[in-house]
Amino acid sequence: MPRSLLALALSTAVWTAPALADEDRPQHFDAIEPKSLQEALSYFTVYSEALEALLEKDQLSGADMTRIHEMSYTLENALGKMRDELANTAEALEAVHLASERVDEDTVRRQGTAFLKAARQFSK
């Protein structure tokens, strides 16, 4: 996945919708909940490509809109997992930063290793 797409996705990870009365809300769908960052990235890529294919159509049918609505749940879950994993990665990097200021080699090595392991997942 291109880094720019990932950055855009993470920057828009929190979506809000206008509040609707329960009787006015559309049907909700079961969504896939990624168990790992790699699953989240995979779902994000596959479902984004499916959304892109639908949006290339001249007109969207009711079935298309329903499919988009259904896919949005899994996309939101994928973004949430990515956001959580990115936050953990940022925490490890901050620990490296602070430990390097204190010349705390043990923490730099431990947290640096944790950061690099997590960061590699985003760059695959």
Side-chain angles (χ1 to χ4, degrees):
M1 170 187 313
R3 293 184 208 280
S4 59
L5 179 59
L6 179 60
L8 174 63
L10 292 172
S11 69
T12 59
V14 178
W15 295 339
T16 59
L20 296 175
D22 286 340
E23 65 272 7
D24 294 330
R25 291 185 59 93
Q27 175 184 352
H28 292 278
F29 295 95
D30 290 330
I32 299 171
E33 187 70 46
K35 294 174 182 58
S36 68
L37 177 59
Q38 291 308 314
E39 279 187 10
L41 292 169
S42 177
Y43 296 146
F44 182 79
T45 299
V46 169
Y47 280 71
S48 292
E49 289 171 357
L51 177 59
E52 181 178 28
L54 286 169
L55 294 178
E56 288 175 355
K57 296 171 77 172
D58 290 334
Q59 283 195 321
L60 297 172
S61 67
D64 293 332
M65 296 299 284
T66 298
R67 181 66 182 134
I68 290 168
H69 182 143
E70 184 176 11
M71 290 187 309
S72 72
Y73 288 94
T74 296
L75 282 165
E76 288 171 348
N77 287 347
L79 284 171
K81 182 67 170 177
M82 291 159 59
R83 181 188 60 234
D84 293 347
E85 291 294 328
L86 189 57
N88 292 339
T89 305
E91 287 176 15
L93 180 58
E94 181 64 9
V96 169
H97 174 98
L98 295 175
S100 69
E101 289 176 345
R102 296 186 312 269
V103 192
D104 177 353
E105 183 178 348
D106 290 338
T107 300
V108 167
R109 287 185 181 279
R110 187 177 67 259
Q111 291 296 327
T113 300
F115 166 77
L116 291 172
K117 180 180 177 186
R120 283 185 194 107
Q121 295 180 86
F122 283 100
S123 61
K124 289 183 180 179

